[in-house]
Amino acid sequence: MTSIFARAMGDDFERLHPQLRRRFSVGLESGEACVGRGSMDRIWHGRAFVKPFLALGATRNILVPRTGRDVPFTIENVPYTDSHGRETVTFVRTFALPGGPRRFDATMVHSPERSCVLDYLGTHQHLATDLRLTAEPDGSLLIRSGEHRFREGPVDLRVPRLIGGDAEVRESFDDATGRFRIRVAVTNRRFGPLFGYEGTFRARYVDALRHGVRAGLRPVREEARP
């Protein structure tokens, strides 16, 4: 048994920079959790008309409706077994913006059925997104989103590409500074750039069992459908 990310990437996982391999080996087998702290050089969003949609998503900790520069940032990657028996890793990002912190929550599982990492977004896992992970020639990690699905009760709908967002995440490690660099951009095929952020952080690894999953880190509702 390996991490959910190594399972999804197969042999490609070994092409990642060693520090990225360790960061994305967090899981029940490694027994490690990762807490990253740093600063986002900037947080941005698209044209004014996207703000109401970002604000709506922010009510469930999906996306961030504010902009800023040099924003203190924390990311918590903690493995646990969810209520459906699946190994899960939290991706909870907290941005310490003026006026109060904002969170962007996700929980990830490996989906053998879909041959990818499945990213459940928000506090109630209403949105599920397929993620494809690949190692770039320089050892950095590229993550691209695929199909999006909306789940609520009996409802299970595919989100049309016309109104959905395509996410691209690039994460690398700078040997000179000892920091991870991350760049995230969410765009729409028709409306253009929607939201993104970029910056750097340092990672600290802790014993996952001793660290535990702190209150408020797990989603309120856990979706069973892959």
Side-chain angles (χ1 to χ4, degrees):
M1 182 180 179
T2 54
S3 75
I4 63 172
F5 310 103
R7 274 177 268 166
M9 293 182 69
D11 293 340
D12 205 31
F13 187 76
E14 298 303 318
R15 297 177 53 234
L16 293 173
H17 186 285
Q19 291 295 333
L20 283 170
R21 286 204 304 270
R22 183 177 183 188
R23 206 175 104 64
F24 285 88
S25 290
V26 296
L28 299 178
E29 184 180 75
S30 71
E32 285 190 328
C34 177
V35 179
R37 298 187 188 279
S39 177
M40 291 299 105
D41 299 332
R42 69 178 185 125
I43 303 170
W44 57 269
H45 59 67
R47 289 175 289 176
F49 70 85
V50 308
K51 289 187 69 175
F53 300 100
L54 297 178
L56 178 63
T59 63
R60 293 293 172 88
N61 290 354
I62 303 175
L63 305 181
V64 177
R66 301 278 300 279
T67 62
R69 290 190 176 273
D70 302 320
V71 178
F73 167 82
T74 303
I75 183 168
E76 298 172 89
N77 302 122
V78 182
Y80 67 95
T81 302
D82 74 4
S83 57
H84 305 293
R86 301 172 299 187
E87 180 178 6
T88 306
V89 178
T90 66
F91 267 71
V92 173
R93 292 142 285 197
T94 303
F95 303 87
L97 286 156
R102 295 282 187 167
R103 276 178 44 167
F104 184 4
D105 292 7
T107 42
M108 300 190 185
V109 304
H110 177 244
S111 174
E113 299 91 343
R114 306 186 69 82
S115 300
C116 68
V117 169
L118 190 57
D119 187 13
Y120 292 107
L121 298 176
T123 55
H124 290 65
Q125 295 189 344
H126 286 310
L127 286 174
T129 300
D130 295 348
L131 298 183
R132 308 292 176 183
L133 292 75
T134 56
E136 296 286 87
D138 63 355
S140 62
L141 176 65
L142 172 62
I143 304 175
R144 286 194 173 105
S145 65
E147 184 178 283
H148 305 286
R149 293 171 301 284
F150 176 81
R151 274 84 178 269
E152 172 59 39
V155 177
D156 186 357
L157 297 176
R158 181 178 176 275
V159 178
R161 296 293 294 273
L162 185 64
I163 63 173
D166 295 319
E168 182 176 283
V169 179
R170 292 182 181 271
E171 189 165 327
S172 60
F173 186 80
D174 186 335
D175 289 295
T177 63
R179 298 174 73 89
F180 291 90
R181 173 162 288 280
I182 188 166
R183 185 169 77 246
V184 175
V186 181
T187 60
N188 176 271
R189 290 188 171 189
R190 179 174 181 180
F191 301 112
L194 301 179
F195 163 80
Y197 57 89
E198 57 185 277
T200 64
F201 62 92
R202 292 186 184 275
R204 177 173 63 94
Y205 298 94
V206 297
D207 183 287
L209 186 61
R210 290 184 180 180
H211 184 271
V213 185
R214 67 172 177 81
L217 205 61
R218 288 180 64 155
V220 175
R221 164 185 173 270
E222 293 181 335
E223 174 59 55
R225 287 167 284 193

